[in-house]
Amino acid sequence: MKRRVVLYTLSLFSFVVTLFVSVAYGTANVPIEALFGQGEQKYVYILWTVRLPRVVLAALVGMALALSGAVMQRLLQNPLADPYTLGISSGASVGAVVVLFASLTTFGSWTLPIGAILGAFITFLFVVSFSRWIDANHSVVTLVLTGVMTSTFLSAIVSLLLARSHEELRSILHWLMGSVAMKGWSYTFAFLPFLFVGIGLIIVEHRALYAMSSGEKEAHLLGVSVRRTKRRLFIATSCLTGAAVAMSGMIGFVGLVVPHMTRLMMNRSFGGELPLVAIGGATFLMMTDTIARTIVRPEELPLGVVTALVGAPLFGYLLVRTMKGGR
Amino acid sequence: MLHVQLDQSIGSFQLRQIEFSVVPGEVVGILGPNGSGKSSVLDHLTNWHEPDVGSVTYDGRDIRSMTSLERARTVAQLSQRRHEPFQQTVEQLCSIALYAAPRDVDRSERIEQTLQTFQLSSLRHRFLDELSGGERQRAYIAQLACRQTPYVLLDEPTTYLDEAYKQFVFRTVREWATLERKGVVLVLHDFNEAIAHCDRVVILSDGKQVGVGSPEDVLTPPFIRTHFGANVVTVKHPISGRNYVLPL
């Protein structure tokens, strides 16, 4: 138990530190006092209208992707699962890329995220209906295979649109590589309902989720309503992933690796990792976004690229430390 | 009382004419050759499969009318092969067992009591995959006991265990039946285990129920030859006087 307390403290501490660092550093360095409305008004303005919404969105998206990944890994009992396994993100991508490709502006600046959410939702319905149709047992294997089939197909559509695009090419690529820049508070607020639904469902089913680690049958024997739990958790992960992708594009690596990093740090301890995963995901994405916008300032690196560049060595270090440090 | 009556087709496998009861305080054994459907029958007792025809009722209630939680409070099962989650401790095994426990149960106290009863207190923080086969089975039996259900099912609980642990399992099961008035169903392979420890047996062959009754009445050499293809003789136990079977 003591290790848990230490971990939680460390985790929250890094979260807060990263939050302050992220708020302060960027294309323009902003003094911390601006957070409280003190100091030069231009800094206060930058902080509250540009910097803070970005940092908060990064934190929320990071949290959503990491949680989604952790749930998928437990649900599918596969350490390689991530939020994109079921293909929902590919659907979101198609929705977004279609909007960019055709330069649609039906809903003004909201057209892009709406297109992405619609794409995610339609894909979700398709994947679930299709796997239910071919497999009355709702086995996760069927669901995963359907997701793989769907995401492969949809990714090809995205590539097709890319290949056929001209002036829109840059904006499509930019969106695909992920970004939380220049979205403003409206994106953050729009993301919140999806976050609440997703996290809410996960909280309701978290004990059932742990019970499912021994397999669906064992969970059933313990009293879990397996069908209901799976349904709710798939809705939760789809909400979290679909909305995250709609708001910030395809940011990879977070959903796959943050859950593993968290578990490695918990060092052979079963269960209870979800809150730590959530905090870790938020911290990680805030940090990588800060790096993305400071390392070649005033320009920015794509967020999806930085998450992998930073995350992979970090993960490697943790892996070495844990494996070499003895079981 | 648990009452089972069913016919079921699972893919190409058919369960036919299954009908038996288990009374509280009774230990019933299910035996049959490999592939005869013993585990499938057990799956119906926990509603993992639903019968095409017939029903499984616990104390008059059809299992299909129960919620998952109600069912888990009525019957618990110890499975044959388990997929162990990575890095689960003995204590966590008992903890997750209380998933369906009613709100007013003091979980930590029940876990404490269970660990003590099964002498697992010193092993509570050990990982399941670090334990010996016998210790692990003891942990799973403790998990079963922790749930305090009126009916328990055990699928081949003594496979791979040494003699001491086998006796531990049967002793525990008999205590559950006698002292706690649980209804116990055991899936067994060994005829003599059934004769020694079961009040009644149900015999399956190729999905069909071919015998039910007291072990000594049912497990006779002609019966065993017909349904198991094995040649045995009856031998009287020198002390208990019960009729056991030995290979010919």
Side-chain angles (χ1 to χ4, degrees):
Chain A
M1 271 309 117
K2 228 192 237 158
R3 196 187 174 94
R4 286 287 172 97
V5 173
V6 168
L7 270 177
Y8 267 97
T9 318
L10 264 174
S11 196
L12 286 167
F13 181 71
S14 355
F15 174 78
V16 171
V17 166
T18 310
L19 179 63
F20 278 110
V21 166
S22 305
V23 162
Y25 287 96
T27 316
N29 284 348
V30 175
I32 281 296
E33 57 187 6
L35 193 57
F36 308 103
Q38 313 287 350
E40 291 187 50
Q41 281 311 295
K42 74 166 177 185
Y43 286 130
V44 175
Y45 178 80
I46 291 176
L47 190 148
W48 279 96
T49 56
V50 176
R51 183 64 55 75
L52 200 55
R54 173 177 186 147
V55 170
V56 169
L57 186 63
L60 295 182
V61 167
M63 183 186 306
L65 290 175
L67 268 179
S68 186
V71 168
M72 289 296 275
Q73 283 168 4
R74 267 202 191 270
L75 208 52
L76 303 180
Q77 291 172 286
N78 188 328
L80 291 180
D82 70 13
Y84 304 148
T85 304
L86 291 188
I88 312 297
S89 52
S90 305
S93 294
V94 169
V97 172
V98 162
V99 166
L100 288 169
F101 184 75
S103 303
L104 300 175
T105 50
T106 333
F107 300 102
S109 58
W110 283 106
T111 321
L112 186 56
I114 288 177
I117 294 267
L118 264 178
F121 186 63
I122 294 171
T123 310
F124 173 74
L125 287 179
F126 170 76
V127 168
V128 166
S129 316
F130 186 84
S131 38
R132 198 176 290 177
W133 173 53
I134 62 176
D135 177 10
N137 291 331
H138 306 87
S139 79
V140 286
V141 175
T142 311
L143 203 56
V144 168
L145 291 176
T146 308
V148 168
M149 166 191 93
T150 313
S151 76
T152 310
F153 183 78
L154 293 175
S155 297
I157 301 233
V158 169
S159 299
L160 180 67
L161 290 172
L162 260 175
R164 303 288 302 168
S165 67
H166 304 290
E167 318 88 52
E168 315 85 18
L169 181 67
R170 278 221 77 177
S171 53
I172 291 177
L173 273 177
H174 181 249
W175 188 90
L176 282 174
M177 290 196 281
S179 167
V180 286
M182 307 304 264
K183 310 274 183 172
W185 285 111
S186 48
Y187 271 55
T188 310
F189 289 139
F191 188 53
L192 283 177
F194 295 97
L195 195 66
F196 285 147
V197 168
I199 292 185
L201 283 172
I202 292 176
I203 290 177
V204 164
E205 296 288 341
H206 82 277
R207 286 192 78 223
L209 185 60
Y210 289 138
M212 290 194 62
S213 316
S214 310
E216 291 189 15
K217 185 168 177 185
E218 283 304 311
H220 168 88
L221 295 177
L222 287 174
V224 172
S225 171
V226 172
R227 196 168 288 189
R228 190 183 67 194
T229 298
K230 283 200 293 192
R231 184 176 63 231
R232 287 182 181 174
L233 288 173
F234 283 130
I235 292 175
T237 53
S238 299
C239 256
L240 291 173
T241 308
V245 173
M247 298 306 158
S248 59
M250 296 283 276
I251 299 175
F253 199 77
V254 180
L256 175 62
V257 168
V258 170
H260 284 294
M261 291 204 287
T262 309
R263 259 179 255 120
L264 283 178
M265 287 192 280
M266 287 171 70
N267 197 27
R268 305 208 81 202
S269 183
F270 169 80
E273 78 263 8
L274 291 179
L276 286 172
V277 166
I279 300 173
T283 310
F284 180 74
L285 205 60
M286 282 195 299
M287 175 185 75
T288 47
D289 181 53
T290 305
I291 293 175
R293 66 169 187 268
T294 49
I295 212 161
V296 287
R297 60 179 168 181
E299 287 174 34
E300 289 193 17
L301 292 178
L303 187 51
V305 168
V306 177
T307 50
L309 286 177
V310 167
L314 193 62
F315 183 64
Y317 166 71
L318 210 57
L319 201 57
V320 166
R321 263 254 332 248
T322 311
M323 292 301 165
K324 290 231 151 167
R327 306 182 78 238
Chain B
M1 180 183 81
L2 157 61
H3 182 76
V4 183
Q5 184 196 346
L6 63 95
D7 286 292
Q8 163 76 312
S9 295
I10 306 170
S12 55
F13 185 74
Q14 282 188 317
L15 288 177
R16 289 158 295 148
Q17 297 167 24
I18 311 293
E19 182 165 6
F20 63 91
S21 315
V22 179
V23 166
E26 189 179 33
V27 176
V28 172
I30 300 182
L31 286 91
N34 287 333
S36 53
K38 307 187 289 290
S39 295
S40 295
V41 169
L42 232 53
D43 286 343
H44 285 85
L45 302 187
T46 53
N47 211 32
W48 181 242
H49 288 310
E50 290 188 13
D52 293 331
V53 178
S55 65
V56 172
T57 57
Y58 286 89
D59 302 324
R61 279 193 77 188
D62 191 318
I63 198 173
R64 287 168 291 195
S65 71
M66 298 186 201
T67 66
S68 301
L69 291 178
E70 286 172 337
R71 174 192 32 85
R73 290 173 196 160
T74 308
V75 60
Q77 176 174 330
L78 175 57
S79 306
Q80 204 178 350
R81 276 179 310 269
R82 310 179 56 117
H83 171 229
E84 268 148 41
F86 194 48
Q87 301 158 2
Q88 189 176 33
T89 65
V90 171
E91 182 167 357
Q92 283 164 342
L93 188 66
C94 292
S95 178
I96 199 60
L98 296 176
Y99 176 83
R103 294 214 164 276
D104 53 354
V105 165
D106 185 341
R107 283 153 196 257
S108 45
E109 197 194 306
R110 189 176 294 185
I111 296 176
E112 274 313 307
Q113 274 179 5
T114 309
L115 290 174
Q116 268 179 10
T117 310
F118 290 90
Q119 287 152 348
L120 291 166
S121 302
S122 58
L123 296 175
R124 66 196 298 166
H125 293 305
R126 295 279 296 281
F127 296 114
L128 289 173
D129 53 7
E130 287 175 355
L131 301 177
S132 72
E135 288 170 331
R136 199 175 321 149
Q137 195 69 329
R138 199 161 91 220
Y140 283 124
I141 297 224
Q143 183 194 38
L144 207 61
C146 204
R147 294 172 60 180
Q148 294 186 5
T149 49
Y151 295 92
V152 286
L153 317 170
L154 294 94
D155 196 347
E156 299 197 32
T158 54
T159 318
Y160 309 124
L161 293 184
D162 63 32
E163 194 58 40
Y165 270 110
K166 281 189 189 180
Q167 292 191 5
F168 157 74
V169 170
F170 287 119
R171 201 169 50 238
T172 308
V173 158
R174 179 48 67 183
E175 275 174 15
W176 284 343
T178 318
L179 298 179
E180 297 181 40
R181 311 295 306 163
K182 287 197 202 286
V184 180
V185 177
L186 299 174
V187 168
L188 296 172
H189 258 314
D190 191 310
F191 303 127
N192 290 324
E193 281 180 356
I195 291 169
H197 302 289
C198 296
D199 301 314
R200 283 188 307 126
V201 292
V202 174
I203 314 295
L204 300 179
S205 177
D206 202 20
K208 191 168 163 207
Q209 181 170 315
V210 294
V212 62
S214 93
E216 283 176 86
D217 292 341
V218 174
L219 293 171
T220 60
F223 182 87
I224 292 176
R225 193 178 319 120
T226 313
H227 296 291
F228 291 83
N231 289 315
V232 299
V233 286
T234 332
V235 168
K236 215 177 179 64
H237 193 282
I239 296 176
S240 71
R242 226 179 268 175
N243 285 326
Y244 288 91
V245 294
L246 281 183
L248 196 55

